[in-house]
Amino acid sequence: MKNALFIVNPKSGKSMIRTKLLDITDIFMKANFDLTIYISQAPGDARKKAQKESFNYELIICSGGDGTLDEVISGVMDGCHDCRIGYIPAGSTNDFANSLRIPKGMIKAAEHVAMQKEFPCDIGTFNDDYFVYVAAFGLFTDVSYGTPQDMKNVLGHLAYVLEGAKKLASIKSYHARIEADDLTIEGDFLYGMVTNSISVGGFRNITGKNVELDDGLFEVTLIQNPTDLIGFQELISGLIKQKPDDSHFYRFRTKHIHLEFDEEVPWTLDGEFGGDHKHVEIFNKQKALTLLV
């Protein structure tokens, strides 16, 4: 029997896990999992539980949004253990689940976990923290963690769009010096993201083409602050059409990036608040963790 811990976020998405839990548990029991179920109690609780218990289990399965997955993986990384991770997406967007081609249906996703097909996946280190698929600053990055959970439960992905619309009047740029491998860039940026995903915020292909989640490289996208209104309109039009004008963008791949800002800048890690930072050091830890997909 496989000794497995099942961490459930009961508030993710539209709380659909409440109606699926018995069926999912039955799938795992039939797969010969010796299952312990834990209901997370508050933000950060899943991380603490995973860190404390990961050495006791061969497998930790989590159900929730990308933020819940981030907590569980970060907890396992904190504990320096090598137990495998299973994921049943139940959030409003589920970017990383899309990248891993995990089925949207919770029952189907559970069946895939039960098959135990392993995928060694890259994990990012962010100063003293971790992220799974995106570390970002700037334009709209606070929308994911600033949108009330009740609103997300009712409206789903539309809640993010409505919350983002409120931010249009307060767009701000950040001056940064950025070093990656043999590349050095300095300028004013509206937005920056370091990603290991084929989609971010529900937008596919925004991170680049031919993205691999186990190649030891991150995809980096930096958006410069346009110098005039026409440039800003071109930028927004390109983002909406998902065909951004390269004159406003820096795009490259790297295993390491260092960013220095003139002020403390708020970051989001996998859709959750990642703190305010003036200096940021990011490394790719290739195939650091095994996921069941």
Side-chain angles (χ1 to χ4, degrees):
M1 296 186 75
K2 302 293 182 183
N3 197 16
L5 173 64
F6 186 19
I7 298 177
V8 177
N9 181 346
K11 295 184 178 180
S12 285
K14 298 181 179 180
S15 301
M16 288 293 291
I17 187 66
R18 297 174 185 270
T19 63
K20 306 291 186 182
L21 190 56
L22 263 180
D23 291 331
I24 292 171
T25 302
D26 186 56
I27 289 169
F28 292 152
M29 298 300 288
K30 285 183 169 66
N32 213 27
F33 289 179
D34 184 4
L35 196 67
T36 300
I37 298 175
Y38 180 79
I39 308 298
S40 64
Q41 302 297 304
D45 187 38
R47 180 170 186 163
K48 293 175 184 176
K49 186 67 175 179
Q51 178 183 6
K52 181 180 178 181
E53 299 289 350
S54 55
F55 69 94
N56 286 324
Y57 294 91
E58 299 171 72
L59 169 64
I60 294 182
I61 308 160
C62 63
S63 178
D66 289 331
T68 303
L69 177 65
D70 174 88
E71 283 195 32
V72 170
I73 287 180
S74 296
V76 172
M77 297 292 289
D78 286 338
C80 299
H81 300 297
D82 59 357
C83 71
R84 298 170 298 163
I85 305 293
Y87 182 35
I88 300 173
S92 300
T93 303
N94 302 314
D95 282 309
F96 198 59
N98 293 333
S99 297
L100 292 167
R101 299 178 183 173
I102 295 174
K104 293 183 179 179
M106 300 178 74
I107 300 301
K108 272 291 184 186
E111 290 172 349
H112 278 237
V113 172
M115 292 176 190
Q116 301 184 65
K117 182 179 178 181
E118 297 185 354
F119 175 71
C121 186
D122 297 348
I123 301 296
T125 65
F126 178 95
N127 291 346
D128 296 325
D129 209 342
Y130 301 95
F131 66 97
V132 179
Y133 77 97
V134 60
F137 72 89
L139 190 66
F140 303 143
T141 51
D142 61 339
V143 169
S144 56
Y145 59 82
T147 306
Q149 184 64 52
D150 290 344
M151 186 177 178
K152 288 190 281 188
N153 286 346
V154 173
L155 299 177
H157 186 70
L158 178 61
Y160 292 115
V161 177
L162 295 175
E163 192 70 18
K166 299 178 185 177
K167 311 291 182 180
L168 285 172
S170 57
I171 292 174
K172 180 180 179 180
S173 65
Y174 299 94
H175 188 81
R177 177 181 171 85
I178 299 165
E179 298 175 353
D181 297 332
D182 57 352
L183 179 68
T184 300
I185 305 169
E186 187 165 359
D188 296 322
F189 298 95
L190 288 175
Y191 179 77
M193 64 179 179
V194 181
T195 62
N196 192 39
S197 176
I198 64 171
S199 70
V200 171
F203 291 96
R204 295 178 67 86
N205 304 319
I206 197 172
T207 61
K209 298 179 179 179
N210 304 316
V211 174
E212 302 289 343
L213 307 187
D214 60 350
D215 60 359
L217 297 172
F218 288 126
E219 284 69 38
V220 180
T221 301
L222 302 168
I223 303 179
Q224 290 181 292
N225 190 20
T227 56
D228 53 38
L229 183 59
I230 293 176
F232 186 77
Q233 289 175 333
E234 291 173 348
L235 172 62
I236 296 300
S237 176
L239 289 173
I240 292 172
K241 295 176 182 177
Q242 298 192 42
K243 293 180 179 179
D245 180 355
D246 286 342
S247 64
H248 299 295
F249 282 71
Y250 286 101
R251 294 174 179 273
F252 55 90
R253 288 184 167 96
T254 186
K255 62 182 177 182
H256 165 244
I257 184 169
H258 176 78
L259 304 96
E260 287 197 30
F261 299 91
D262 291 346
E263 59 184 300
E264 297 281 333
V265 174
W267 282 74
T268 177
L269 303 180
D270 297 332
E272 302 297 327
F273 182 53
D276 298 318
H277 303 274
K278 195 172 181 179
H279 308 281
V280 170
E281 198 90 29
I282 293 174
F283 289 93
N284 184 299
K285 293 179 70 71
Q286 187 174 15
K287 299 182 179 180
L289 209 61
T290 299
L291 304 180
L292 301 182
V293 298

